[in-house]
């Protein structure tokens, strides 16, 4: 059941590097889809295009078979696409609850309701099994927690498709196990996860399908269940 498709995506940066060369990429509803390739293969570029952070030189994006245009992150968010970065986009001096609602609930205008922000955060945390203390100051938290807050933030903005850029790079083995459990939970609640990684062995444990990129091209898509453990 395809939810989103990128067709013929080409991106040439101003320095002349062609990071994506006619890339086709398709994801289904409720799947964990890994995007794998060595450093420089063009994975981040493709996902930046999907999140509206870069504009392609050619190609189209279809959401539920309708062509969409994603010229900014806010348009990506409106289309139900969220992104969790390797380097987080959180405001360190604010609380978890403030970060979750930031930008959506008006602030400094006399009617920012902190209690409401806490309630929203607790409800989301409960619903998605992403437990964090809404009152903690973000800069005091370990990196695994910051990642959870970014995921909560994206979910609060209505993300159905969640892009995670090398999410395990910053995590301990214990935090990685926890993240994988949370991703399974999100998948089971109908979300689609795009998991960028350069480690095929790691993503095989958790993903349904894998798209492999090399040299700016999509060189293959396969079902994880078809791959043997030592490939
Ligand atoms: P990956 O995520 O697979 O490591 P990237 O999409 O980051 O690959 O990079 C693909 C190619 O594009 C690399 O050669 C990289 O150096 C180049 N590149 C990435 N971002 C930029 C940029 N902002 N400007 C110029 N070149 C870039
Ligand atoms: P605007 O439409 O107001 O110019 P943007 O499109 O840049 O703003 O951003 C809209 C939303 O996307 C904001 O909530 C912002 O926090 C978020 N956002 C912007 N850039 C990024 C990014 N690189 N990663 C994650 N979220 C981002």
């Amino acid at each position: 059941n395809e939810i989103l498709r990128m067709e013929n995506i080409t991106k040439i940066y101003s320095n002349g590097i062609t990071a994506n060369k006619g890339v086709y990429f398709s994801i289904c509803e409720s799947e964990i889809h890994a995007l794998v390739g060595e450093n420089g293969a063009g994975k981040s570029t493709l996902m930046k295009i999907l999140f509206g952070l870069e504009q392609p030189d050619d190609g189209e994006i279809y959401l539920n078979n309708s062509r969409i245009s994603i010229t900014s992150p806010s348009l990506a968010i409106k289309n139900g696409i969220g992104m969790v970065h390797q380097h987080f986009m959180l405001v360190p001096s604010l609380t978890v609850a403030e970060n979750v609602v930031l930008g959506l609930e008006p602030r400094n205008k006399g009617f920012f309701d902190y209690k409401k922000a806490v309630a929203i955060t607790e409800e989301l945390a409960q619903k998605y099994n992403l437990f964090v203390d809404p009152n903690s100051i973000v800069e005091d938290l370990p990196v695994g927690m910051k990642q959870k807050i970014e995921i909560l933030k994206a979910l609060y903005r209505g993300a159905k498709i969640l892009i995670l850029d090398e999410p395990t790079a910053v995590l301990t083995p214990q935090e990685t196990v926890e993240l994988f459990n949370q991703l399974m939970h999100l998948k089971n609640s109908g979300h689609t996860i795009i998991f960028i990684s350069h480690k095929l062995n790691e993503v095989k444990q958790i993903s349904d399908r894998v798209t492999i990129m090399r040299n700016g091209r999509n060189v293959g898509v396969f079902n994880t269940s078809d791959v043997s453990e030592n490939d």
Side-chain angles (χ1 to χ4, degrees):
N1 214 1
E2 183 184 77
I3 183 168
L4 182 128
R5 176 170 84 246
M6 300 175 82
E7 281 185 8
N8 194 34
I9 301 293
T10 292
K11 172 67 186 179
I12 307 164
Y13 284 112
S14 52
N15 60 1
I17 290 182
T18 306
N20 285 174
K21 303 172 185 167
V23 177
Y24 180 94
F25 178 67
S26 162
I27 52 171
C28 296
E29 220 175 316
S30 298
E31 77 166 332
I32 300 181
H33 195 119
L35 184 57
V36 175
E38 285 172 12
N39 286 330
K43 309 179 295 293
S44 295
T45 298
L46 189 68
M47 290 303 107
K48 280 181 186 164
I49 290 169
L50 185 54
F51 193 63
L53 290 165
E54 293 286 355
Q55 291 309 302
D57 292 282
D58 198 7
E60 302 91 45
I61 302 176
Y62 296 88
L63 183 67
N64 295 313
N65 279 317
S66 300
R67 179 140 181 214
I68 55 169
S69 163
I70 306 179
T71 50
S72 69
S74 63
L75 273 173
I77 292 164
K78 279 199 189 97
N79 282 295
I81 300 165
M83 187 159 187
V84 172
H85 297 266
Q86 239 180 84
H87 307 285
F88 304 113
M89 305 285 291
L90 303 169
V91 183
S93 58
L94 297 181
T95 68
V96 171
E98 284 170 317
N99 268 279
V100 168
V101 304
L102 197 67
L104 290 190
E105 302 295 325
R107 238 180 140 256
N108 297 328
K109 298 218 173 78
F111 54 97
F112 178 75
D113 185 343
Y114 185 69
K115 272 195 185 142
K116 186 176 161 200
V118 170
I120 287 169
T121 304
E122 281 173 341
E123 195 189 320
L124 277 172
Q126 186 79 39
K127 186 169 172 194
Y128 294 111
N129 240 355
L130 287 154
F131 296 102
V132 288
D133 173 5
N135 296 305
S136 295
I137 302 293
V138 163
E139 65 196 345
D140 298 337
L141 295 173
V143 78
M145 285 288 181
K146 289 180 185 155
Q147 194 174 61
K148 283 188 196 173
I149 302 161
E150 280 231 333
I151 295 173
L152 285 173
K153 205 177 136 180
L155 293 169
Y156 184 52
R157 284 160 177 69
K160 288 282 291 166
I161 299 170
L162 199 57
I163 306 163
L164 294 115
D165 189 353
E166 301 266 0
T168 61
V170 292
L171 300 183
T172 64
Q174 175 57 38
E175 287 171 334
T176 300
V177 170
E178 233 181 277
L179 174 70
F180 284 6
N181 287 331
Q182 278 147 4
L183 296 183
M184 288 305 293
H185 197 85
L186 285 173
K187 167 191 148 107
N188 292 332
S189 61
H191 293 80
T192 299
I193 313 288
I194 304 174
F195 187 125
I196 306 182
S197 175
H198 59 272
K199 291 184 265 180
L200 183 57
N201 270 313
E202 177 186 80
V203 298
K204 276 198 304 201
Q205 311 166 35
I206 187 173
S207 49
D208 300 295
R209 292 196 299 157
V210 178
T211 290
I212 311 263
M213 285 188 76
R214 188 179 302 141
N215 239 325
R217 297 179 198 278
N218 173 345
V219 294
V221 184
F222 58 86
N223 295 322
T224 322
S225 53
D226 296 342
V227 188
S228 79
E229 272 315 299
N230 25 350
D231 276 343

